[in-house]
Amino acid sequence: MLRTHNCGALRKEDIGKEVLLAGWVNRRRDHGGVIFIDLRDRWGLTQLVIDSNQQEIYQHANAVKSEFVLQVKGIVRARPEGLANLKLPTGEIEVAVSEVIILSESKPLPFEIEEKNETDESLRLHYRYLDLRRTRMQKNLMLRHQVCQSVRRFLSERQFIEVETPFLTKSTPEGARDFLVPSRLNEGSFYALPQSPQLFKQILMIAGYDRYFQIAKCFRDEDLRADRQPEFSQVDIEMSFVEREDIFELIETMMKNLFYEALGIQLETPFPRMSYDEAMNCYGCDKPDLRITCTIDDLSSLLEGKIEVGSKTDSWNGLFLQKWKDFSRKKADLLSQMAKNAGVSLSYIKFAKEEGTSPLKNKIAEQTWRKIIEKYPFQEDSLLLIAWGDRQKVLSFLGNLRINLGEELNLIQNQFKFCWIHDFPLFEWNLEENRWDSMHHPFTAPLLDQLDQLNIDPSKVKAQAYDIVLNGFEIGGGSIRIHRSDLQEKIFQLLNLSEGEIQQKFGYFIEALQYGCPPHGGIALGLDRIMMLMSGEISIRETMAFPKTQKGTCLMSGAPSPVSDDQLMVLGIQLRNKKGPKLI
RNA sequence: GGGGUCGUGGUGUAGCCUGGCCAAACACGUCAGCCUGUCACGUUGAAGACCGCGGGUUCAAAUCCCGUCGACCCCGCCA
C-alpha cells in the first residue's frame, strides 16, 4: 500500500505514529522557514509540516504545487498549544514530514477546486474530473451511493431480487423517441435502448419472480431540461399479487427508511393522497408542490352569472394569498397581461384598512361581494386573485401563478412534502393523430368497476395509475398492470393499433400473458430527481457523475461524434445528409 | 420548432442601458522575492484579456444593430 491512513483518518490518538499518507495538494502555505501543505483525498484534509532545517525535503516541498499527487512519510504530532484547527476533524494533529515523493504533477488548473465562486457549467463539464474533486460533487455522489445502498438493502430485506434487463432491446414507437442502435448482424434492423424495462419486468412477473427490482438506466431521446437527461436512472420495482395499497405502503416505508438513513430526516407516513381530478382542481397541475399551502378555489357557485363577461366562461377560480405587501397597480397590470397571454381573465380583491377594494366591486351585487369577503380570512394586505374563462386554461394559469408567487413571496419552506396522485385518466386525446393515447402506458389497468365505460366513453375511464410527487417534482409513477390478454388487446385496439401492429410490436408480450400471468403492479422512481431534491440542487446534472448538456453532448469526451465511413459500411448505413460534421 | 438569459485575462465579476474619460477595473489564481505556526497565511512585485466568432452602423464600438456559435432556463416534446 502506498499509504497507511487516508487524509481524514488521523486523530490525537495517533500521535507518535509513523504514517504514510498519499493524496492531492489542496493548498500550500509557505512561511519562509516552514511550509504547510494540506493533503486532500475524499476522506478529508491532513496538514503536513515541513521545517527548513530539513534542507532536502524543504527544497522538494518548495517545488510542490496545487493538485500535485504526493506520498509522504512522517510522524503524527500534536499541534502546538492553541493552534489546533477546530474546523477540521484532523485539526488537532499534523504530520511532520520526513520524506516526500511526488507521485504526479499537475498543470495549473483551469479553475480552483475550492468553490470560492460559481464556475461556468460548461467549463466544469469539460474538466469534469476536476469538478468531481470538489466537495459539492463528492457529497452529492457519496449521498447517491448511500441512497442506492439503502434502497438495495431495504428491497432485499423485503425479498425483492435485483435482475438486470437488456439495453439492446426492441423499439416500441409509443411514448418517447427511442435511441436506436444498428445491428451489424442483421443489416437494416435496429435495437432500441430501453425507455424503461417495463415489459421485461412484467414478463419477470409472468415468470414467477414475484418481487423484482433494478436500479435501471433508461434512455429517452427527447429534449432536455434541468430535471431531464437523455439517460437517467430509475429504481424500478414490480410485484405480483398486489394492489395499489401494497405499493404505496412499500414505497412510503422505503422512503422513510431512506431519508432517515441518508439524511437523518424522519418522514411522516402515510403520505397525503389525492386524485388526479382533485390535484388539477386545487393545484392546477398533477404534481403539486405542497410546501406552498394555498390552493385554487372554485368560485363558480358564487360568481357564475353574477358578472357580465363577454367571452365564454365555464369556470371561476380564486387564489387567496394571506399577505402580499407590495402588491401594486403595476403588479396587477403585469398579472393581467400574463393572464391575457394564457387566454384567461383576471381580477383581484385587495384588502387593506379593514376593507376590500377591487376593480370588480361595482360590478357585482353587494350580497355577492359580502359572500366572497366572508369566505376568506381577509386581513391587512391579503389578496384574492380571481380568474375566469376556459376551465383548463384558468386552472393551469393559476397553477403556474401559485408556483411563481410561492417563490416570489417566499412561501416555500425548506422541507420535504410528499404526496400520491392517483386515479389518472386512462387515456388522453391525441389531437394531432385524432386518436386516444395512453396517459401512463398501454399496460396500465383501468379501474375495474369502469370496464364497461371503455366501450361507451373512454375519456371517463380512470386508470389504476399513481404518481409519487415530492416538492412539485414527479419522482415516480406506476400502476397496477393488465394481466389478461383479452383486456390488453382491447386496450391496444382502443389505441387504434391494428391487429397486425399489435402482433408486430407486442405479439410476444400478448402471448406471454396467455401462459398464466399473475395480477401484478409496480412503480419506477426517478433516482436522479430524488437525489437532486435530497442534495438541495436545482438540476439533476449535479447528481450525475457525467451528465450531458442541453444539446445532449458530453463536453468532456465530445460525444456524440461522427464515425468513419468504414464503420457505417459495416452496418450498411449511408448518411442521407452528407453535410454533417466533418471528421477530424 | 419557438421564447428568453448569458458570453470581458486561467477563474469569478465590474464596465454595456446613456459609444469617446477603457491600449479595460477588482477579487481569486499563476509566476518571482521576503517571512518559522499558518490553515481563505501575510507581504512586495510581475506577467496575463484588444472584450465568443463574423459582419454592419459611426469620425470613433467591449458598449448600438444583424448574423452565427456555445452554455443555461422555459414552451412544445418527455407512454
Side-chain angles (χ1 to χ4, degrees):
Chain A
M1 289 285 275
L2 296 184
R3 61 183 176 198
T4 56
H5 297 77
N6 65 49
C7 295
L10 296 172
R11 296 288 184 277
K12 264 197 308 207
E13 296 72 49
D14 300 300
I15 287 169
K17 285 185 190 162
E18 186 180 65
V19 295
L20 271 177
L21 294 181
W24 286 261
V25 174
N26 197 55
R27 189 172 280 278
R28 194 188 65 161
R29 292 177 296 278
D30 183 350
H31 286 256
V34 59
I35 296 175
F36 298 99
I37 292 172
D38 292 334
L39 202 64
R40 186 199 71 234
D41 61 19
R42 77 177 168 90
W43 286 275
L45 287 179
T46 300
Q47 175 166 286
L48 312 176
V49 194
I50 295 142
D51 212 272
S52 59
N53 51 33
Q54 302 160 280
Q55 263 305 310
E56 203 179 319
I57 309 168
Y58 188 77
Q59 291 304 335
H60 216 59
N62 243 330
V64 160
K65 304 280 162 61
S66 282
E67 299 305 308
F68 277 30
V69 182
L70 305 183
Q71 183 193 32
V72 300
K73 188 189 268 182
I75 305 284
V76 182
R77 70 183 188 203
R79 295 199 187 183
E81 191 70 27
L83 292 174
N85 184 349
L86 300 176
K87 283 185 259 174
L88 292 180
T90 61
E92 289 187 287
I93 57 93
E94 63 193 12
V95 172
V97 175
S98 56
E99 208 178 311
V100 180
I101 295 170
I102 295 175
L103 295 174
S104 117
E105 301 191 351
S106 168
K107 298 206 285 187
L109 300 168
F111 53 80
E112 290 163 69
I113 304 295
E114 279 188 28
E115 290 153 277
K116 290 189 176 152
N117 33 40
E118 280 286 312
T119 309
D120 183 67
E121 197 177 350
S122 57
L123 200 70
R124 292 175 55 204
L125 292 177
H126 186 270
Y127 297 98
R128 191 57 159 179
Y129 39 91
L130 297 179
D131 188 43
L132 291 174
R133 286 183 193 169
R134 311 224 257 205
T135 333
R136 174 193 191 174
M137 288 308 299
Q138 293 203 337
K139 257 173 72 184
N140 289 355
L141 291 188
M142 288 191 230
L143 185 68
R144 186 177 177 127
H145 167 74
Q146 257 188 298
V147 164
C148 290
Q149 288 300 302
S150 171
V151 164
R152 287 204 163 94
R153 203 177 318 124
F154 175 82
L155 291 172
S156 302
E157 275 165 17
R158 289 248 185 157
Q159 314 302 321
F160 284 78
I161 64 164
E162 187 167 9
V163 181
E164 290 166 282
T165 52
F167 277 3
L168 297 177
T169 177
K170 190 177 164 71
S171 170
T172 52
E174 276 69 33
R177 206 171 287 116
D178 283 321
F179 279 102
L180 295 178
V181 180
S183 164
R184 177 182 56 84
L185 298 174
N186 303 274
E187 198 176 301
S189 286
F190 294 80
Y191 302 101
L193 301 179
Q195 297 176 23
S196 87
Q198 185 60 34
L199 290 180
F200 288 105
K201 67 173 174 174
Q202 290 191 239
I203 285 170
L204 284 169
M205 293 305 105
I206 296 173
Y209 284 83
D210 204 80
R211 294 180 166 213
Y212 141 94
F213 85 100
Q214 181 181 193
I215 298 184
K217 262 291 178 75
C218 304
F219 306 85
R220 293 179 191 176
D221 188 7
E222 296 293 346
D223 285 4
L224 284 72
R225 289 282 192 283
D227 62 350
R228 275 161 38 187
Q229 283 272 307
E231 54 178 308
F232 59 99
S233 300
Q234 290 189 338
V235 179
D236 196 42
I237 294 173
E238 197 76 7
M239 301 168 81
S240 292
F241 308 115
V242 290
E243 297 167 309
R244 189 183 78 184
E245 288 308 315
D246 300 300
I247 305 284
F248 282 11
E249 184 278 330
L250 176 81
I251 298 304
E252 283 170 355
T253 313
M254 186 173 91
M255 283 296 175
K256 200 169 176 166
N257 183 61
L258 167 59
F259 271 69
Y260 186 69
E261 285 188 4
L263 295 178
I265 288 173
Q266 288 274 14
L267 296 179
E268 262 179 57
T269 52
F271 299 150
R273 303 171 184 193
M274 70 186 85
S275 68
Y276 171 84
D277 288 341
E278 201 180 338
M280 295 308 284
N281 288 338
C282 298
Y283 302 95
C285 72
D286 62 359
K287 43 177 184 177
D289 188 341
L290 296 186
R291 291 174 303 172
I292 306 166
T293 50
C294 67
T295 55
I296 299 170
D297 299 314
D298 190 347
L299 301 178
S300 295
S301 59
L302 277 175
L303 291 169
E304 184 102 60
K306 301 286 168 59
I307 307 176
E308 282 296 315
V309 285
S311 52
K312 175 188 166 273
T313 293
D314 56 10
S315 190
W316 295 80
N317 293 87
L319 188 66
F320 180 72
L321 297 155
Q322 195 65 242
K323 208 166 181 61
W324 188 354
K325 209 157 182 221
D326 45 0
F327 179 79
S328 57
R329 183 60 205 269
K330 211 172 157 187
K331 274 268 170 0
D333 290 344
L334 193 75
L335 288 179
S336 293
Q337 191 54 49
M338 283 167 61
K340 214 171 156 188
N341 294 343
V344 308
S345 306
L346 184 74
S347 190
Y348 61 90
I349 295 176
K350 186 180 159 64
F351 209 79
K353 300 196 184 94
E354 297 176 3
E355 195 189 350
T357 56
S358 168
L360 287 176
K361 192 163 187 178
N362 297 324
K363 296 183 185 167
I364 49 179
E366 175 68 26
Q367 197 188 6
T368 310
W369 175 263
R370 214 173 314 119
K371 273 188 188 159
I372 302 175
I373 296 290
E374 278 164 11
K375 184 177 163 74
Y376 291 99
F378 275 105
Q379 56 178 32
E380 191 72 19
D381 293 324
S382 289
L383 186 80
L384 176 66
L385 292 163
I386 302 170
W388 64 92
D390 174 73
R391 184 171 174 74
Q392 281 196 357
K393 285 182 183 165
V394 168
L395 290 175
S396 121
F397 170 73
L398 288 179
N400 288 331
L401 201 58
R402 180 176 167 274
I403 302 294
N404 294 339
L405 292 179
E407 282 161 15
E408 192 177 325
L409 303 180
N410 245 329
L411 304 176
I412 302 178
Q413 311 98 314
N414 183 23
Q415 55 183 324
F416 295 101
K417 288 282 193 186
F418 288 84
C419 67
W420 290 104
I421 311 295
H422 55 80
D423 292 359
F424 280 80
L426 188 61
F427 301 110
E428 57 190 342
W429 187 250
N430 184 329
L431 273 174
E432 279 168 29
E433 298 183 27
N434 223 19
R435 60 174 172 86
W436 293 108
D437 267 344
S438 288
M439 192 154 182
H440 186 53
H441 57 52
F443 317 105
T444 301
L447 287 182
L448 293 177
D449 55 0
Q450 296 185 344
L451 287 180
D452 297 344
Q453 276 286 333
L454 281 175
N455 297 317
I456 307 161
D457 183 357
S459 73
K460 293 238 164 62
V461 181
K462 301 294 187 206
Q464 297 193 55
Y466 34 80
D467 277 356
I468 181 166
V469 173
L470 172 55
N471 292 359
F473 287 87
E474 180 199 325
I475 58 160
S479 61
I480 300 300
R481 326 295 184 189
I482 296 166
H483 70 279
R484 280 182 7 223
S485 60
D486 56 339
L487 181 57
Q488 185 65 69
E489 275 194 87
K490 179 160 187 71
I491 297 292
F492 282 140
Q493 281 158 15
L494 278 165
L495 293 173
N496 216 12
L497 289 170
S498 71
E499 193 57 40
E501 285 173 301
I502 296 171
Q503 279 312 315
Q504 195 261 322
K505 290 171 186 163
F506 304 110
Y508 70 102
F509 181 65
I510 300 266
E511 192 179 16
L513 287 176
Q514 292 164 358
Y515 286 98
C517 178
H520 61 287
I523 192 166
L525 302 170
L527 180 63
D528 313 282
R529 286 184 188 169
I530 293 173
M531 292 320 306
M532 171 181 92
L533 294 165
M534 289 180 87
S535 312
E537 298 284 1
I538 56 168
S539 153
I540 61 172
R541 295 187 298 276
E542 308 296 349
T543 73
M544 300 176 162
F546 303 104
K548 306 257 185 310
T549 67
Q550 196 167 49
K551 282 224 170 118
T553 64
C554 170
L555 293 179
M556 186 178 72
S557 68
S561 55
V563 294
S564 69
D565 280 343
D566 289 351
Q567 282 176 288
L568 290 177
M569 190 90 77
V570 170
L571 299 166
I573 291 177
Q574 189 176 17
L575 297 179
R576 294 171 74 127
N577 181 2
K578 288 266 175 126
K579 274 196 203 152
K582 280 197 189 111
L583 281 175
I584 303 153

